[in-house]
């Protein structure tokens, strides 16, 4: 009889609020007094979109520590966003071993060099922002070795005393903006808004002014950091041609490494109203997005940049993530995709036939034209499940 009662009580406690209990070593750090910090390092060492979605957290840290130096540790590509984040004082562009796919990419010499940079930085506080699948422990351990006294991380895995503030993360499908702000809230740092934002330098605005035609236009960014998120270039071209036929010129843009992709899209469109933009620095590309009536992108950095500068966006949204994981926060958006059983797959390469992006080009064009001509409030953002042809 006593055993039965114990089992019932344990079952009841284990389902409180529908959430699993955290590790007994987590969530013990208490508040962090950022007002006393002199030098703060924030880590977000992956792609452009990840850095953009970290901007609300950076604003919150700056508001809590107005007199501290605030630096960002980012990947080389992520660091290109830094000139548009006005709350930052500096950026450390690194390619750390824990962000590499190959087991042979990292070197002991590279880790020692990074440790030296962290030590020389004399940081008081380290915030490590991650996605649900990333581990904070490698860089937190470097922070420990570098003498950073306060080290704040999210993790479900045991890391001993490597972090001073080990926070149980929210559910894996939490939006990246909210995930970062959750980490801050756990140590007593209030948010200062949940919409990503960027400040474009004046010289980038001037450079962008010479890249587009007079009047309204669309920007199509066909690139993405992984193949699993890329809509077919021929279909992008078909969609661009239809948008141009509807009276909205389309500028197709990408990085220097995406020149061939941009050319294929323009060739597939085959219309004078669809033209290529030469590769430009990221702030100039972002300024071009800001001037556009609508952006057309994959679920990629272009989508987040458009969101951060207030441009409506039509997105070919792959099944790599769920719509609520990364959707735009502050602009009207149409997310187009096909419902598939394997989503969210989190893959870099689609192991099947990319059924999640089997979107008719006409549907994408219609969504873009509608967003450009009849702007809606952000609350009208929608997830469009395309019909399979």
């Amino acid at each position: 009889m006593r055993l039965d009662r114990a089992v019932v009580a344990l079952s009841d406690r284990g389902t409180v609020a529908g959430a699993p209990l955290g590790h007994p070593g987590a969530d013990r750090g208490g508040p962090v007094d950022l007002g006393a910090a002199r030098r703060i390092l924030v880590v977000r060492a992956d792609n452009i979109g990840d850095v953009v979605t970290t901007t609300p957290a950076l604003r919150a840290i700056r508001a809590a520590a107005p007199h501290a130096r605030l630096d960002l540790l980012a990947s080389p590509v992520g660091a290109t966003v830094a000139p548009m984040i006005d709350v930052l004082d500096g950026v450390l562009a690194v390619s750390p071993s824990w962000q590499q796919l190959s087991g042979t990419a990292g070197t002991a010499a590279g880790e020692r060099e990074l440790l030296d940079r962290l030590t020389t930085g004399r940081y008081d506080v380290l915030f490590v922002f991650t996605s649900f699948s990333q581990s904070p422990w490698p860089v937190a351990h470097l922070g420990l070795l570098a003498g950073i006294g306060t080290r704040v991380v999210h993790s479900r895995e045991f890391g001993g005393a490597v972090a001073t503030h080990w926070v149980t993360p929210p559910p894996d499908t939490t939006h990246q903006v909210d995930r970062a702000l959750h980490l801050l809230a756990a140590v007593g740092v209030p948010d200062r808004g949940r919409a990503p934002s960027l400040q474009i330098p004046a010289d980038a605005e001037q450079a962008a002014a010479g890249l587009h035609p007079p009047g309204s236009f669309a920007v199509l960014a066909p690139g993405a950091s992984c193949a699993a998120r890329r809509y077919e270039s021929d279909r992008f071209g078909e969609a661009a041609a239809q948008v141009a036929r509807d009276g909205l010129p389309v500028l197709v843009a990408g990085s220097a490494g995406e020149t061939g992709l941009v050319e294929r899209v323009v060739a597939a469109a085959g219309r004078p109203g669809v033209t290529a933009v030469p590769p430009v620095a990221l702030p100039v590309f972002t300024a071009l997005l800001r001037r556009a009536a609508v952006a057309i992108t994959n679920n990629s950095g272009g989508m987040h940049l458009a969101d951060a500068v207030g441009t409506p966006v039509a997105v070919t949204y792959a099944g790599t993530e769920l719509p609520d994981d990364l959707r735009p926060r502050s602009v009207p958006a149409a997310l187009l995709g096909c419902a598939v059983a394997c989503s969210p797959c989190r893959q870099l390469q689609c192991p099947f036939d990319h059924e999640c992006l089997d979107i008719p080009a006409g549907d994408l064009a219609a969504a873009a034209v509608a967003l450009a001509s009849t702007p809606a409030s952000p609350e009208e953002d929608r997830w469009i499940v395309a019909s399979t042809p």
Side-chain angles (χ1 to χ4, degrees), residues 151-253:
R151 304 174 299 280
V152 187
V153 308
H154 263 149
S155 183
R156 298 192 195 282
E157 299 174 338
F158 181 66
V162 169
T164 59
H165 295 72
W166 165 21
V167 177
T168 300
D172 292 350
T173 56
T174 300
H175 194 285
Q176 286 298 291
V177 167
D178 298 329
R179 180 182 171 90
L181 293 176
H182 175 277
L183 182 64
L184 296 184
V187 295
V189 181
D191 73 70
R192 299 286 175 159
R194 293 177 174 260
S197 64
L198 297 171
Q199 289 70 45
I200 301 171
D203 58 348
E205 287 282 12
Q206 293 171 1
L211 295 174
H212 63 82
S216 295
F217 63 94
V219 170
L220 193 161
S225 59
C226 63
R229 295 184 181 183
R230 294 187 204 121
Y231 189 53
E232 292 178 9
S233 57
D234 286 353
R235 284 185 165 183
F236 260 142
E238 184 181 345
Q242 182 169 321
V243 171
R245 281 195 298 271
D246 287 341
L248 192 65
V250 179
L251 304 182
V252 186

Side-chain angles (χ1 to χ4, degrees), residues 3-318:
L3 177 60
D4 291 341
R5 284 199 298 270
V7 169
V8 171
L10 178 60
S11 176
D12 289 345
R13 286 197 299 272
T15 58
V16 170
L21 298 177
H23 191 284
D27 306 310
R28 293 184 171 193
V32 172
D33 180 13
L34 290 187
R38 294 173 294 108
R39 302 173 72 88
I40 301 170
L41 180 64
V42 170
V43 176
R44 190 71 217 236
D46 28 20
N47 291 314
I48 287 171
D50 302 295
V51 174
V52 175
T53 58
T54 306
T55 55
L58 291 169
R59 288 199 308 269
I61 294 170
R62 172 51 75 207
H67 304 298
R69 179 178 177 87
L70 179 57
D71 289 347
L72 172 70
L73 188 155
S75 69
V77 67
T80 61
V81 184
M84 296 182 285
I85 306 177
D86 62 353
V87 299
L88 288 177
D89 295 302
V91 60
L92 284 69
V94 300
S95 297
S97 61
W98 67 87
Q99 286 294 112
Q100 306 303 312
L101 292 175
S102 170
T104 61
T107 65
E111 296 302 293
R112 283 192 291 268
E113 180 182 354
L114 178 55
L115 176 58
D116 288 344
R117 294 178 71 180
L118 297 186
T119 304
T120 302
R122 295 178 286 111
Y123 297 105
D124 310 296
V125 180
L126 172 69
F127 287 102
V128 184
F129 293 115
T130 55
S131 70
F132 79 94
S133 63
Q134 295 170 330
S135 172
W137 299 116
V139 66
H141 191 251
L142 284 177
L144 170 65
L145 297 178
I148 303 176
T150 301
R151 304 174 299 280
V152 187
V153 308
H154 263 149
S155 183
R156 298 192 195 282
E157 299 174 338
F158 181 66
V162 169
T164 59
H165 295 72
W166 165 21
V167 177
T168 300
D172 292 350
T173 56
T174 300
H175 194 285
Q176 286 298 291
V177 167
D178 298 329
R179 180 182 171 90
L181 293 176
H182 175 277
L183 182 64
L184 296 184
V187 295
V189 181
D191 73 70
R192 299 286 175 159
R194 293 177 174 260
S197 64
L198 297 171
Q199 289 70 45
I200 301 171
D203 58 348
E205 287 282 12
Q206 293 171 1
L211 295 174
H212 63 82
S216 295
F217 63 94
V219 170
L220 193 161
S225 59
C226 63
R229 295 184 181 183
R230 294 187 204 121
Y231 189 53
E232 292 178 9
S233 57
D234 286 353
R235 284 185 165 183
F236 260 142
E238 184 181 345
Q242 182 169 321
V243 171
R245 281 195 298 271
D246 287 341
L248 192 65
V250 179
L251 304 182
V252 186
S255 66
E258 295 167 344
T259 300
L261 174 60
V262 168
E263 292 174 347
R264 289 194 297 274
V265 172
V266 172
R271 286 188 61 86
V274 181
T275 56
V277 175
V280 294
L282 189 70
V284 179
F285 170 73
T286 308
L288 188 65
L289 278 177
R290 191 192 66 78
R291 292 164 174 263
V294 65
I296 305 169
T297 75
N298 295 301
N299 171 18
S300 64
M303 176 185 74
H304 297 293
L305 292 168
D307 184 28
V309 295
T311 300
V313 58
V315 184
T316 54
Y317 200 98

